[in-house]
Amino acid sequence: MTAIEFNNISKLYRLGTVSTGTLAHDLKRWWTVNVRGKEDPYLTIGETNDRSTKGQSDYVWALKDIDFKVEQGDVVGIIGKNGAGKSTLLKILSKVTAPTTGTIRARGRIGSLLEVGTGFHPEMTGRENIYLNGAILGMTKQEITRKLDEIVDFSGCERYIDTPVKRYSSGMMVRLGFAVAAHLDPEILVVDEVLAVGDAEFQKKAIGKMQDVSKGEGRTVLFVSHNMAAVKSLCHRGILLEKGMIKENGIVEEVIGHYLKGDNAIENHKTWNNPTITKGPFTLLEIGIRKVDCQFEDVIRMEDETIIQVKYHLSKDVDCFYTVFHIKNERGEKILTSTCREKIDVKHGSGYYEQTCHIPCRYLNYGNYSLDLHAMMDKKILLTEEDIISWTIVNESVKEGVWLGRVEGDILPDFDYIDKKISQ
């Protein structure tokens, strides 16, 4: 059964001022749309939502032509850069604001946690705000009272429950707000980027609760976050928003992989024909990174053994030729160097070659990486290509309901451990 259906949802904003700026423009707009039944003239002049560039119009599409369905019990992660339209989409669903065009059909009560302290009154106590928030969500006083102890216990704020929330930290407000939204039985739970404010203990509890809500109780969750580990741990589907439009909608790890890769022109596979990359007798024909027995387009996970594949041509016999790889993390720091010099016969005759380097599974942490290639001849650098390819490794091993963030470090080697008892 479809729980939420977005049909051609668009949202137009005027930058800088509220409304169209003058009473005359507002009256003209109202007359055109409501009396004459024609299309809103301001809908035709809006520009794409690109926060990094200066536009020619004062009107911008925060969302444009959003169409997708969410089935009951689905957990959908909505990801994208800042300003992509994620929060606007959830605010429209929560009826905080209305769409400019299109309709949303939602079956069931919606519980929303869009910002820290959403719906809280700072002068009221935590207990009073639970009743206030529950009433906003459509619950009766008896229903709230029945679940009050459970809500307070989950929030971990029992000592301060009768203290005005203006004295709460931002993390405590998130704890209480999430506890209310998750325990008052909404058919649809909408959570914006708020869990990042909480500590690791609360994040773990919150992710586990959302898993229980979706799987155990068959409720629907829409989750916005910039932490891809949390999205991967919780969600089955992913939706990538870019400049107010849906760029991708599909399996969450694939969507995350494409999001992390971004618009970088560097790719995980390149070939050259004409012009070629040539220096001396060496000509680079192809370089890429992929899983074993898979295509270059496939998503690479931590559990996959991966291959760096290089194809090249030597125009003459070379007494000493080998390659050196530098792998760099997403901050541009070199985290390891590898060379084939000790593994192959460095004496090469003229001809075409294919070289492969195997990286063990679970050796690199999940994230973005790039590679520098050095072609060496006679122990000197013949050719250097920096950041020649890049790739993304996705974490597939996070257990459901458990998330404490990314493990520190870029390399996760599988060392041997021996633990033996040496005395009573």
Side-chain angles (χ1 to χ4, degrees):
M1 178 188 295
T2 301
I4 311 170
E5 186 175 349
F6 294 82
N7 295 313
N8 195 34
I9 292 295
S10 299
K11 182 65 177 180
L12 183 71
Y13 284 113
R14 178 182 171 90
L15 302 178
T17 60
V18 178
S19 76
T20 57
T22 66
L23 179 60
H25 283 174
D26 287 343
L27 289 173
K28 180 179 178 180
R29 187 177 187 182
W30 175 85
W31 178 268
T32 301
V33 176
N34 295 283
V35 178
R36 301 184 65 188
K38 293 188 176 182
E39 183 181 6
D40 189 337
Y42 292 95
L43 298 185
T44 62
I45 60 176
E47 293 185 331
T48 301
N49 180 20
D50 187 353
R51 59 176 169 77
S52 62
T53 61
K54 184 176 180 180
Q56 303 299 317
S57 172
D58 290 336
Y59 295 89
V60 62
W61 290 104
L63 293 172
K64 184 67 173 176
D65 300 329
I66 302 296
D67 278 294
F68 67 93
K69 295 181 181 180
V70 180
E71 299 300 319
Q72 182 177 343
D74 272 0
V75 185
V76 180
I78 301 176
I79 62 177
K81 297 179 181 178
N82 292 327
K86 305 183 299 297
S87 295
T88 301
L89 183 66
L90 296 192
K91 286 178 180 179
I92 291 175
L93 175 62
S94 303
K95 299 183 179 180
V96 174
T97 186
T100 305
T101 65
T103 58
I104 295 179
R105 296 179 180 178
R107 295 173 175 84
R109 183 166 45 212
I110 299 175
S112 302
L113 190 60
L114 301 181
E115 296 177 5
V116 175
T118 300
F120 282 2
H121 193 292
E123 299 296 336
M124 298 172 65
T125 67
R127 188 186 306 274
E128 292 167 340
N129 271 294
I130 291 175
Y131 281 94
L132 174 63
N133 227 264
I136 292 173
L137 291 174
M139 305 297 290
T140 65
K141 183 177 180 180
Q142 290 74 19
E143 289 176 299
I144 300 170
T145 301
R146 190 170 65 249
K147 291 207 169 188
L148 182 63
D149 292 341
E150 188 178 351
I151 293 170
V152 174
D153 180 65
F154 184 88
S155 71
C157 300
E158 184 173 3
R159 180 167 187 149
Y160 305 96
I161 199 63
D162 292 310
T163 299
V165 297
K166 67 180 181 181
R167 296 191 175 94
Y168 283 22
S169 68
S170 57
M172 289 171 61
M173 292 180 68
V174 167
R175 281 174 167 268
L176 193 61
F178 183 86
V180 174
H183 285 81
L184 294 184
D185 297 330
E187 281 75 24
I188 301 169
L189 180 61
V190 178
V191 183
D192 203 345
E193 180 70 89
V194 292
L195 299 185
V197 181
D199 53 29
E201 177 202 5
F202 171 68
Q203 292 168 359
K204 181 178 178 180
K205 289 174 65 175
I207 294 292
K209 180 61 178 177
M210 285 191 280
Q211 288 281 4
D212 293 340
V213 166
S214 62
K215 287 194 171 181
E217 303 172 23
R219 304 183 189 277
T220 307
V221 179
L222 266 65
F223 181 50
V224 167
S225 179
H226 287 286
N227 191 295
M228 297 302 104
V231 175
K232 173 63 188 69
S233 171
L234 178 67
C235 304
H236 313 122
R237 285 176 55 208
I239 294 176
L240 175 58
L241 292 183
E242 184 176 282
K243 299 179 181 179
M245 296 177 282
I246 293 180
K247 184 176 181 180
E248 188 170 356
N249 181 359
I251 300 172
V252 66
E253 58 264 24
E254 296 180 2
V255 175
I256 289 174
H258 295 154
Y259 167 65
L260 292 175
K261 188 175 180 180
D263 296 327
N264 198 338
I266 303 173
E267 298 175 350
N268 70 322
H269 180 225
K270 288 184 176 180
T271 59
W272 293 269
N273 291 313
N274 189 23
T276 58
I277 295 180
T278 302
K279 187 69 177 290
F282 173 79
T283 299
L284 180 62
L285 303 175
E286 179 181 2
I287 185 169
I289 186 163
R290 59 177 174 80
K291 297 188 293 186
V292 176
D293 299 326
C294 291
Q295 303 298 316
F296 289 103
E297 295 80 10
D298 293 339
V299 174
I300 299 176
R301 301 172 176 83
M302 289 181 64
E303 291 73 21
D304 299 323
E305 179 185 1
T306 53
I307 295 176
I308 301 173
Q309 178 177 303
V310 181
K311 292 182 181 180
Y312 60 93
H313 177 257
L314 294 176
S315 60
K316 68 175 185 179
D317 295 349
V318 178
D319 289 334
C320 182
F321 176 84
Y322 58 94
T323 57
V324 177
F325 299 136
H326 294 310
I327 294 181
K328 300 189 292 189
N329 60 21
E330 54 195 13
R331 298 180 298 279
E333 301 166 339
K334 294 179 181 178
I335 59 173
L336 66 86
T337 297
S338 179
T339 177
C340 64
R341 182 180 177 184
E342 307 300 328
K343 301 289 185 179
I344 64 171
D345 184 0
V346 297
K347 187 173 183 178
H348 286 62
S350 62
Y352 291 89
Y353 290 85
E354 178 180 283
Q355 180 186 115
T356 58
C357 170
H358 291 247
I359 303 176
C361 63
R362 299 195 62 80
Y363 185 78
L364 292 176
N365 204 350
Y366 63 89
N368 297 325
Y369 298 92
S370 61
L371 183 136
D372 296 347
L373 169 68
H374 300 281
M376 310 292 293
M377 189 171 71
D378 298 329
K379 301 182 180 180
K380 297 180 180 179
I381 298 177
L382 177 66
L383 177 141
T384 296
E385 290 291 330
E386 295 187 352
D387 298 320
I388 190 168
I389 58 171
S390 67
W391 69 100
T392 297
I393 297 178
V394 175
N395 186 10
E396 184 80 346
S397 63
V398 178
K399 296 180 181 179
E400 295 176 349
V402 177
W403 172 61
L404 295 177
R406 184 179 188 266
V407 176
E408 293 184 5
D410 297 305
I411 300 176
L412 305 176
D414 185 15
F415 293 140
D416 289 330
Y417 289 87
I418 299 175
D419 187 13
K420 61 181 181 180
K421 188 176 181 180
I422 58 175
S423 65
Q424 185 60 36

